[in-house]
């Protein structure tokens, strides 16, 4: 365990999730004096917190694991194609133990505030345990969906049963048998939890405001023989992920939507619907993301599949989204979710018709009737991407506060740096490639880029690196412009910064949260910036110009 009496580090990493674990591995390998600060009692981030039944990957497990160590790839056996939370947390612990990373980590310490000291070119961090730490560089590894949000319903504190957000699902076993359970929300999380608990509870009542498009996960076990095959193909698998816009194995169908007949389109969809994972979303025609008519035809197809799975057609209609098309929000993947509504112990309550008016001591009251519950589960989502930044009082150069700079939406350079906030880097920041791709693939790219930059800075004796205002404006304009062609811009989801529970994030104003150009273009752009001596970043003190970054040279020498 890290020495808590040390007060200065060269680098402080905030967050010990998937990104923070890899970042500290890179820094430890380079012998850089660094520590990780984590608010939770242990490592794992998303996979530490989200212990609700049914929590699992929607990425193929073997594309989610880290790619940096051949030894690790050879040792780890993924047991399921889409691995569940307990196994995912075991994996991250295994990685930390294997590379002896825990000694660089400090738990139960939340960074409350951080300010850039312009005289010393240092960050000064204030922690909730009373400590004040300094460092030259900060790496924000805060996660995309790490700030859960609760609805604002009168009386929530009065409920006498148990109630919690899915993010805070109890860590000790929770007996659900015979219990009357309410789930509020029908996002990706709710869709997993509802399908998993429906046959374990007494009565399940789902409160749905807007339905979500959802398609089968088609999970299954991975045998020893299959795992051996995957191990032999890891290079090929990661190369496929690097080629695909989403960082998954699934690559878009390159045929034009209108070049093939309606029968051929249907044949593709019949196949993809029954295949594992995001194929139905990401191995589809590219037009579905941009062309209203193409999207409407696919949406009609998925609606037909839902009608075929739900017996009561009035319920089926309620489960079919009408306000947005398939795939313009991140698609929740499900396991027998729609069949849940064929059960006698499950009821769907449409709160767009009969809103929840209050939480009572014994349950909930909608405008139509009262319900009694033993447990209320809030599956009500997250203050995505910028929420975790907003919860730290971050003060940059000249006293500017990040939450004020980003009040109307984020602006960044490559999603990796922020003008006015020197020596601060982000893995999984807004407008980065990580925000819209298979997360570990995205953060490995971001962490590698930031670590290369750090080496560049150290090798030249700089003490301060800051994205220029102009470079940031260009990048933000580029990210913004890409939304114009995407149907996504019309949907209320965290991709557009929507969250009805966060003041200012209610529908109305789009926040340009994600880079929509796809992983290959993103990687090409950030590598180009590095190869040009980090064009768009001001370094000080300015040193004799060295044409190329050493890390870039080393990579090129290696071919
Ligand atoms: P979400 O997609 O934002 O869904 C939140 C749900 O709660 C929505 O149905 C929302 O309804 C409802 N809700 C929110 N506030 C409400 C209120 N005040 N009253 C009534 N209903 C309310 O959040 P999530 O389901 O946690 O998923 C977020 C993201 O996490 C996903 O997009 C995905 O990227 C990730 N995730 C991934 C996996 C995986 O398979 N690996 C699993 C879970 C989550 P409205 O739609 O009407 O706002």
């Amino acid at each position: 365990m890290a020495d808590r009496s040390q007060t200065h580090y060269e680098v402080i990493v905030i967050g010990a999730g998937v990104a923070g674990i890899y970042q500290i591995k890179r820094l430890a390998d380079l012998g850089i004096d660094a520590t990780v600060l984590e608010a939770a009692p242990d490592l794992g981030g998303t996979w530490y917190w989200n212990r609700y039944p049914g929590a699992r990957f929607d990425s193929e497990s073997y594309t989610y694991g880290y790619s940096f160590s051949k030894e690790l790839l050879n040792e780890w056996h993924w047991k399921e194609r889409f691995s569940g939370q307990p196994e995912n947390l075991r994996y991250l612990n295994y990685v930390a133990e294997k590379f002896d990373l825990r000694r660089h980590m400090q738990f139960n310490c939340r960074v409350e505030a951080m300010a850039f000291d312009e005289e010393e070119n240092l960050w000064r961090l204030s922690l909730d345990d009373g400590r004040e730490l300094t460092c030259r560089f900060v790496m924000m590894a805060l996660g995309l969906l790490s700030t859960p949000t609760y609805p604002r319903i009168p009386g929530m504190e009065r409920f006498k049963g148990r109630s919690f957000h899915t993010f805070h699902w109890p860590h000790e076993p929770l007996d659900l048998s015979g219990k009357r359970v309410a789930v509020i929300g029908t996002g990706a999380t709710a869709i997993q939890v509802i399908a998993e608990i429906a046959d374990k509870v007494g009565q399940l009542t789902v409160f749905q405001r807007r339905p979500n498009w959802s398609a089968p996960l088609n999970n299954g076990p991975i045998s020893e023989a299959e795992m051996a095959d995957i191990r032999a193909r890891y290079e090929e698998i990661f190369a496929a992920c690097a080629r695909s816009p989403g960082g998954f194995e699934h690559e878009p169908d390159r045929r034009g939507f209108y070049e093939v007949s309606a029968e051929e389109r249907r044949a593709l969809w019949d196949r993809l619907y029954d295949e594992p994972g995001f194929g139905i979303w990401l191995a589809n025609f590219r037009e579905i993301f941009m062309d209203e008519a193409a999207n409407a035809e696919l949406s009609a197809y998925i609606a037909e599949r839902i009608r075929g799975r739900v017996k009561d057609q009035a319920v089926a209609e309620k489960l079919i989204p009408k306000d947005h098309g398939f795939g313009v929000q991140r698609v929740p993947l499900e396991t027998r979710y729609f069949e849940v509504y064929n059960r006698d112990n499950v009821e769907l309550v449409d709160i767009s018709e009969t809103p929840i008016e209050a939480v009572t001591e014994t349950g909930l009251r909608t405008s139509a009737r009262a319900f009694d519950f033993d447990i209320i589960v809030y599956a009500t989502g997250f203050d995505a991407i910028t929420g975790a930044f907003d919860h730290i009082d971050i003060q940059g150069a000249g006293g500017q506060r990040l939450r004020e700079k980003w009040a109307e939406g984020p602006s960044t350079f490559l999603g990796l740096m922020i003008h006015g906030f020197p020596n601060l880097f982000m893995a999984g920041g807004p407008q980065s490639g990580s925000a819209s791709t298979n997360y570990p693939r995205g953060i490995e790219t971001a962490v590698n880029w930031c670590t290369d930059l750090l080496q560049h800075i150290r090798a030249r004796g700089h003490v301060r690196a800051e994205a220029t205002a102009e470079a940031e404006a260009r990048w933000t304009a580029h990210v913004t412009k890409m939304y114009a062609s995407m149907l996504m811009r019309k949907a209320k989801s965290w991709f557009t910064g929507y969250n009805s529970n966060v003041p200012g994030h209610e529908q109305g104003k789009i926040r340009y949260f994600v880079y929509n150009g796809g992983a290959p273009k993103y990687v090409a752009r950030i590598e180009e910036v590095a190869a040009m001596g980090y064009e768009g970043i001001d370094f000080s003190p300015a040193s004799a110009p060295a044409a190329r970054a050493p890390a870039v040279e080393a990579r090129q020498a290696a071919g």
Side-chain angles (χ1 to χ4, degrees):
M1 211 48 91
D3 169 15
R4 289 201 175 216
S5 62
Q6 186 172 338
T7 55
H8 177 80
Y9 297 87
E10 186 168 1
V11 183
I12 289 183
V13 180
I14 308 181
V18 172
I21 291 171
Y22 181 47
Q23 181 62 77
I24 196 64
K25 162 82 173 89
R26 288 293 322 266
L27 296 171
D29 285 352
L30 291 167
I32 295 176
D33 182 25
T35 194
V36 182
L37 305 178
E38 167 59 60
D42 208 347
L43 61 82
T46 280
W47 303 110
Y48 174 84
W49 287 110
N50 285 285
R51 299 185 188 217
Y52 60 86
R56 61 177 61 255
F57 291 151
D58 54 13
S59 314
E60 279 74 8
S61 309
Y62 48 87
T63 72
Y64 192 99
Y66 294 112
S67 71
F68 66 80
S69 161
K70 280 218 168 83
E71 213 178 274
L72 175 64
L73 291 168
N74 281 331
E75 283 167 9
W76 189 260
H77 181 159
W78 291 105
K79 303 282 186 333
E80 289 179 281
R81 197 169 179 106
F82 303 95
S83 173
Q85 178 273 332
E87 184 74 349
N88 307 344
L89 187 57
R90 264 196 294 280
Y91 170 75
L92 293 175
N93 275 286
Y94 181 83
V95 173
E97 303 299 337
K98 178 176 173 61
F99 299 107
D100 197 14
L101 302 176
R102 274 180 180 278
R103 69 198 166 96
H104 305 292
M105 296 180 179
Q106 306 182 39
F107 303 114
N108 291 310
C109 49
R110 181 177 292 281
V111 178
E112 291 185 327
M114 47 192 271
F116 190 68
D117 177 334
E118 287 187 84
E119 302 246 306
E120 304 280 339
N121 289 307
L122 292 176
W123 280 98
R124 297 185 178 280
L125 280 66
S126 307
L127 276 53
D128 65 350
D129 59 13
R131 284 184 296 158
E132 304 278 331
L133 304 181
T134 56
C135 61
R136 176 77 74 209
F137 305 102
V138 174
M139 165 54 83
M140 308 298 268
L142 305 178
L144 302 175
L145 298 154
S146 50
T147 306
T149 51
Y150 285 80
R152 289 169 281 176
I153 308 172
M156 282 170 64
E157 67 297 337
R158 288 210 310 257
F159 182 58
K160 291 250 168 18
R162 294 197 68 171
S163 64
F164 39 79
H165 195 283
T166 41
F167 188 78
H168 295 125
W169 190 281
H171 290 198
E172 74 282 358
L174 180 67
D175 182 14
L176 295 171
S177 57
K179 299 285 191 301
R180 299 159 302 171
V181 179
V183 174
I184 302 179
T186 47
T189 300
I191 283 173
Q192 287 186 329
V193 77
I194 289 164
E196 187 68 26
I197 67 173
D199 64 355
K200 298 176 183 71
V201 301
Q203 173 70 33
L204 177 64
T205 311
V206 177
F207 292 88
Q208 172 184 274
R209 189 165 61 185
R210 289 185 315 138
N212 235 304
W213 291 104
S214 185
L217 178 67
N218 295 314
N219 193 17
I222 297 180
S223 68
E224 290 283 352
E226 282 161 334
M227 197 60 225
D229 174 59
I230 288 165
R231 286 200 189 103
R233 293 190 300 106
Y234 261 129
E235 253 178 57
E236 190 189 308
I237 289 168
F238 288 127
C241 292
R243 271 196 315 270
S244 86
F248 292 92
E249 271 189 310
H250 313 281
E251 295 188 52
D253 193 310
R254 305 270 168 202
R255 296 174 299 167
F257 185 92
Y258 297 105
E259 283 167 19
V260 300
S261 67
E263 290 70 33
E264 282 172 287
R265 294 197 284 268
R266 207 188 155 86
L268 173 71
W269 296 339
D270 280 344
R271 175 167 67 73
L272 293 178
Y273 197 81
D274 294 329
E275 281 183 5
F278 275 138
I280 188 71
W281 187 34
L282 301 177
N284 217 309
F285 301 100
R286 286 164 296 178
E287 287 85 344
I288 64 158
F289 297 104
M290 286 164 277
D291 179 320
E292 298 267 10
N295 184 276
E297 189 179 311
L298 172 63
S299 301
Y301 171 85
I302 305 286
E304 197 185 307
R305 298 295 298 244
I306 295 171
R307 289 187 192 103
R309 294 172 58 186
V310 179
K311 286 187 189 143
D312 181 336
Q313 289 303 296
V315 174
E317 282 317 305
K318 286 191 187 303
L319 291 167
I320 297 171
K322 307 290 189 301
D323 68 335
H324 67 283
F326 181 87
V328 304
Q329 298 179 181
R330 201 168 192 280
V331 177
L333 295 179
E334 44 86 21
T335 303
R336 293 182 296 283
Y337 172 68
F338 292 104
E339 287 74 9
V340 156
Y341 296 97
N342 298 332
R343 298 178 60 88
D344 290 338
N345 70 332
V346 177
E347 182 182 3
L348 180 68
V349 177
D350 183 346
I351 52 172
S352 71
E353 288 174 355
T354 55
I356 300 173
E357 291 184 335
V359 175
T360 62
E361 285 191 5
T362 55
L364 284 178
R365 197 180 64 241
T366 67
S367 60
R369 65 185 243 235
F371 298 80
D372 284 342
F373 295 116
D374 302 303
I375 298 171
I376 299 177
V377 178
Y378 296 102
T380 43
F382 297 87
D383 187 356
I385 309 187
T386 53
F389 287 85
D390 288 346
H391 278 72
I392 304 174
D393 182 12
I394 304 172
Q395 224 177 315
Q400 185 185 23
R401 290 205 144 75
L402 185 61
R403 62 167 81 108
E404 280 160 21
K405 177 178 167 111
W406 283 359
E408 299 298 312
S411 58
T412 72
F413 178 49
L414 308 174
L416 298 165
M417 295 177 77
I418 311 161
H419 174 65
F421 295 80
N423 296 1
L424 180 146
F425 311 111
M426 299 179 284
Q431 306 182 340
S432 70
S434 318
S436 52
T437 53
N438 188 3
Y439 189 60
R441 304 280 61 78
I443 63 91
E444 277 190 352
T445 300
V447 165
N448 287 337
W449 192 90
C450 293
T451 309
D452 288 353
L453 172 57
L454 207 60
Q455 287 178 273
H456 176 95
I457 295 168
R458 297 172 91 233
R460 284 158 181 75
H462 302 307
V463 293
R464 177 176 162 140
E466 180 183 356
T468 66
E470 199 220 344
E472 177 174 292
R474 260 205 319 266
W475 181 255
T476 302
H478 174 59
V479 169
T480 303
K481 197 170 161 210
M482 269 186 289
Y483 271 76
S485 60
M486 309 287 292
L487 297 173
M488 162 204 294
R489 73 188 184 281
K490 299 183 177 176
K492 293 188 203 172
S493 83
W494 65 268
F495 279 1
T496 51
Y498 164 78
N499 184 319
S500 69
N501 307 311
V502 180
H505 288 237
E506 301 91 345
Q507 196 205 13
K509 189 177 182 318
I510 295 189
R511 285 158 197 268
Y512 300 96
F513 268 15
V514 298
Y515 172 84
N516 285 310
K521 277 195 190 140
Y522 179 75
V523 173
R525 179 62 194 134
I526 65 172
E527 284 187 349
E528 186 184 16
V529 166
M532 293 170 77
Y534 295 100
E535 189 187 44
I537 301 173
D538 277 344
F539 296 98
S540 66
S543 56
R548 318 291 292 260
V552 173
E553 284 161 12
R555 274 204 207 138
Q556 286 176 349

